[in-house]
Amino acid sequence: MHTALAIAGLATTAAAETVHGALVFVRHGDRTAKHLGPTSLTPVGASEVFEAGTFTRARYLSSSSPHHIRGMSEAQYVSSQVYASAPDEPVLFQTATSFLQALYPPLGQSFAATQADKLANGSSVPSPLNGYQYVMLHGINADSPETVWIKGDVGCPTMTTAQQDFNNSAVFQTRLEDTRAFYQSLYPMVSELYDAATDLDYTKAFDIFDLFNVQKIHNSSSPIQKVSDDQLFQLRTLADSAEFGANWNASQPDRALHARTFAAAVLDHLNQTVSTSSSSASSTNTKAAPKLTVLAGSYDTFLAFFGLTRLTEASPDFYGLPDYASTMMFELFTPGGNNDDNLDESTLRVRYMLRNGTTNPLRQFPLFGSKQADLPWTQFRDEMQKIGISTTAEWCSSCDSPSDFCAAFRDGNNNSVSVQAGNGEVAVARGAWIAVLVVMAVAILGNLIWAAMWLFRGRKESRVPAAAVVKTAGSTGTGSVRSYGKESV
Ligand SMILES: *[C@@H]1O[C@H](CO)[C@@H](O)[C@H](O)[C@H]1NC(C)=O
Ligand SMILES: *[C@@H]1O[C@H](CO)[C@@H](O)[C@H](O)[C@H]1NC(C)=O
Ligand SMILES: *[C@@H]1O[C@H](CO)[C@@H](O)[C@H](O)[C@H]1NC(C)=O
Ligand SMILES: *[C@@H]1O[C@H](CO)[C@@H](O)[C@H](O)[C@H]1NC(C)=O
Ligand SMILES: *[C@@H]1O[C@H](CO)[C@@H](O)[C@H](O)[C@H]1NC(C)=O
Ligand SMILES: *[C@@H]1O[C@H](CO)[C@@H](O)[C@H](O)[C@H]1NC(C)=O
Ligand SMILES: *[C@@H]1O[C@H](CO)[C@@H](O)[C@H](O)[C@H]1NC(C)=O
């Protein structure tokens, strides 16, 4: 435990190394409140994700950075080097757009002029917007099979049912009762927005926190301005516990199906970088893979991934919601200088990092309960393969999904076809269950950390009524089952 905590948060060192590829997963920035209808990214939010893009640019693109991705173009966008995708919905799509605008900003007037199009008739046409660069972004529609990689929670009844179970658990009910008075005491501040004080309770923990948080930031005329820092903090930690509980329970892995597809996507992107390097690429597969992948997604995927990869063992902070415009980064690197195009799998390593919001430093954490700050690529690959759901067929079957694209994977009686052996996919499924058993053992430890954290927070800053803290402390959070629709961002 001490070792794990000590490793957690090691400042990333600038020791000589060669980065070969990276994947960045970004949460949206500040937006309007969910409670008030369809959400949109605010200028504050766009600035936050723009800053996250600028930060990423400085780390991976700047030629003076020790983490510059080898061979990556610094100023001018090269389409084959970057892959970016976001769900086809406003907040997350705009998030990715703003992030990419910062990653490859306009080339500037002089460049725009020198690159101007010289026409046959002698006139010269510079590119618009100061040499703006059009970084390609793939918008993934909810009806597309591709949606399972970044939005594996949509159209997944198995997951919804698993979350519903949690909602019905004793620990959830206890927390619901213990916090009722607290929630109702806030009613005067939101009486215009809720019909009755009884509408405010733990089942809506995220919705209520979100409303208070957004109004506090944006609306000077709202009675919510009267909320105290303590009350807001308590609303946040209750939302933390509700959302973490909804997205992760070690004994009910179906709650984290979206993190399992996401894990497979991360592995797939990094593996492409590895397998298309000269040495391991087959003669028929010499097309270079993108060096940098940018994906935009929701906090629920973050939380489920935190649980699934045991990051909660590295720091109890992982029980909390990540701040706006948080980024998770996965880096594929070789320690020491390496200018060889042939990647040697045995010397490659993978580092996991989180930047929580846009004002905190980027911090490195060990995955899978490892004592090592980063992992050998081969170990990372094997662990991710165990937890990952790497085919749409397996997702459709695990979710029992009614999505149209799953029709291909149903039999004549309209039942999900379970994934067949023979092509490596079963190994994935079996491995996942082994991983789950391991994780179950670990969960008990996680509960202790959670309890300790609540007690610590409760004592130090005395926010929840003490009895409620103690009673709710024993679990890794409980979840109000929200309808995980397209708005779960
Ligand atoms: C040259 O062609 C472009 C595009 O067809 C046109 O806009 C421009 O006016 C032409 N310039 C001259 C000098 O004819
Ligand atoms: C700000 O709060 C006031 C008072 O509750 C409300 O009438 C108004 O609609 C709110 N404005 C926004 C943009 O939410
Ligand atoms: C990595 O890519 C290679 C080449 O495409 C493939 O054969 C292998 O199965 C992939 N491994 C994983 C873990 O995805
Ligand atoms: C991120 O920040 C939020 C708010 O400050 C906090 O509750 C959460 O625990 C943090 N998460 C991590 C992993 O640091
Ligand atoms: C087939 O199953 C899916 C998912 O359970 C369901 O949505 C759909 O209505 C079913 N179709 C028929 C024809 O029963
Ligand atoms: C986790 O899931 C199990 C199995 O459904 C359930 O019994 C348990 O109550 C859940 N954990 C909590 C803290 O609710
Ligand atoms: C969760 O449970 C609470 C209380 O048991 C209930 O009021 C609420 O409707 C449930 N939420 C969902 C989405 O089922």
Side-chain angles (χ1 to χ4, degrees):
M1 163 92 50
H2 278 291
T3 325
L5 290 175
I7 292 171
L10 279 182
T12 54
T13 53
E17 64 179 38
T18 307
V19 178
H20 304 285
L23 182 143
V24 181
F25 187 67
V26 59
R27 191 191 168 203
H28 64 75
D30 181 278
R31 52 146 174 69
T32 56
K34 280 187 186 177
H35 188 80
L36 303 176
T39 53
S40 57
L41 198 66
T42 61
V44 173
S47 305
E48 286 166 347
V49 284
F50 191 89
E51 197 283 335
T54 303
F55 185 91
T56 303
R57 169 177 171 71
R59 184 171 179 90
Y60 296 132
L61 272 52
S62 164
S63 54
S64 58
S65 164
H67 308 284
H68 170 78
I69 297 175
R70 186 168 173 269
M72 188 97 193
S73 176
E74 181 172 7
Q76 195 167 2
Y77 164 63
V78 175
S79 62
S80 62
Q81 294 187 338
V82 181
Y83 175 84
S85 89
D88 202 357
E89 57 91 28
V91 172
L92 287 171
F93 195 85
Q94 284 162 26
T95 289
T97 302
S98 184
F99 184 97
L100 294 174
Q101 286 174 337
L103 195 66
Y104 279 110
L107 290 161
Q109 204 73 59
S110 60
F111 193 93
T114 57
Q115 293 291 301
D117 213 353
K118 310 271 190 308
L119 301 185
N121 68 9
S123 45
S124 168
V125 184
S127 57
L129 290 170
N130 223 12
Y132 182 90
Q133 308 202 65
Y134 304 88
V135 181
M136 194 186 306
L137 174 59
H138 301 266
I140 311 292
N141 190 279
D143 298 331
S144 153
E146 292 292 301
T147 191
V148 308
W149 310 122
I150 41 179
K151 270 270 163 219
D153 53 330
V154 176
C156 186
T158 305
M159 191 174 137
T160 310
T161 305
Q163 295 180 334
Q164 198 87 35
D165 260 12
F166 203 38
N167 196 22
N168 295 332
S169 72
V171 79
F172 179 89
Q173 296 299 329
T174 305
R175 198 170 291 179
L176 179 64
E177 295 315 319
D178 286 350
T179 59
R180 199 179 289 287
F182 167 69
Y183 277 112
Q184 294 195 4
S185 74
L186 303 173
Y187 181 66
M189 287 184 261
V190 289
S191 56
E192 293 172 355
L193 300 168
Y194 288 88
D195 292 337
T198 49
D199 286 348
L200 297 172
D201 67 26
Y202 186 68
T203 62
K204 306 185 188 75
F206 184 84
D207 186 76
I208 296 169
F209 162 66
D210 186 55
L211 178 66
F212 274 77
N213 188 42
V214 170
Q215 296 295 88
K216 174 84 176 164
I217 294 170
H218 289 278
N219 193 342
S220 63
S221 60
S222 167
I224 283 173
Q225 289 305 328
K226 292 196 232 78
V227 72
S228 70
D229 288 348
D230 253 21
Q231 287 170 321
L232 195 58
F233 185 88
Q234 184 163 348
L235 283 173
R236 172 192 278 281
T237 53
L238 288 168
D240 286 348
S241 69
E243 293 304 309
F244 191 88
N247 286 285
W248 177 251
N249 175 326
S251 60
Q252 208 173 19
D254 283 347
R255 231 170 268 178
L257 283 167
H258 49 333
R260 293 181 56 198
T261 44
F262 172 70
V266 170
L267 177 59
D268 182 57
H269 283 280
L270 295 182
N271 185 50
Q272 283 180 37
T273 304
V274 175
S275 61
T276 56
S277 82
S278 312
S279 71
S280 34
S282 69
S283 51
T284 53
N285 182 20
T286 49
K287 188 172 167 287
K291 294 171 187 293
L292 179 62
T293 300
V294 176
L295 307 175
S298 342
Y299 68 77
D300 55 344
T301 307
F302 278 83
L303 292 178
F305 187 79
F306 295 163
L308 185 63
T309 57
R310 299 163 59 185
L311 282 161
T312 44
E313 289 171 49
S315 165
D317 288 343
F318 282 99
Y319 287 104
L321 291 158
D323 279 340
Y324 287 143
S326 286
T327 42
M328 287 201 269
M329 306 199 181
F330 301 81
E331 279 175 18
L332 186 67
F333 70 102
T334 320
N338 175 1
N339 280 322
D340 192 347
D341 277 331
N342 299 336
L343 296 187
D344 174 357
E345 289 199 55
S346 69
T347 60
L348 281 174
R349 299 188 72 84
V350 176
R351 172 188 288 135
Y352 170 85
M353 282 168 296
L354 176 80
R355 187 163 179 246
N356 193 4
T358 49
T359 55
N360 290 312
L362 183 65
R363 292 174 71 199
Q364 180 171 349
F365 297 93
L367 292 171
F368 306 114
S370 169
K371 299 282 178 277
Q372 307 176 66
D374 48 62
L375 293 175
W377 155 253
T378 47
Q379 186 184 345
F380 173 83
R381 181 192 63 199
D382 295 349
E383 297 277 3
M384 291 292 266
Q385 217 165 2
K386 279 182 212 156
I387 60 170
I389 290 181
S390 60
T391 64
T392 307
E394 194 189 344
W395 180 87
C396 289
S397 146
S398 301
C399 286
D400 198 16
S401 175
S403 298
D404 285 346
F405 59 80
C406 289
F409 309 112
R410 290 194 203 110
D411 64 18
N413 297 321
N414 198 32
N415 292 320
S416 294
V417 178
S418 43
V419 182
Q420 295 301 311
N423 53 7
E425 288 172 10
V426 160
V428 172
R430 199 186 301 125
W433 286 104
I434 294 168
V436 160
L437 293 178
V438 171
V439 161
M440 274 172 75
V442 164
I444 295 159
L445 189 59
N447 283 344
L448 293 176
I449 297 173
W450 178 230
M453 183 179 73
W454 265 93
L455 288 171
F456 174 74
R457 283 181 162 182
R459 262 193 220 120
K460 201 169 162 229
E461 310 189 37
S462 69
R463 37 189 80 85
V464 183
V469 176
V470 175
K471 280 190 193 147
T472 55
S475 84
T476 52
T478 54
S480 63
V481 178
R482 295 180 296 103
S483 59
Y484 273 77
K486 288 160 205 167
E487 287 293 323
S488 74
V489 292

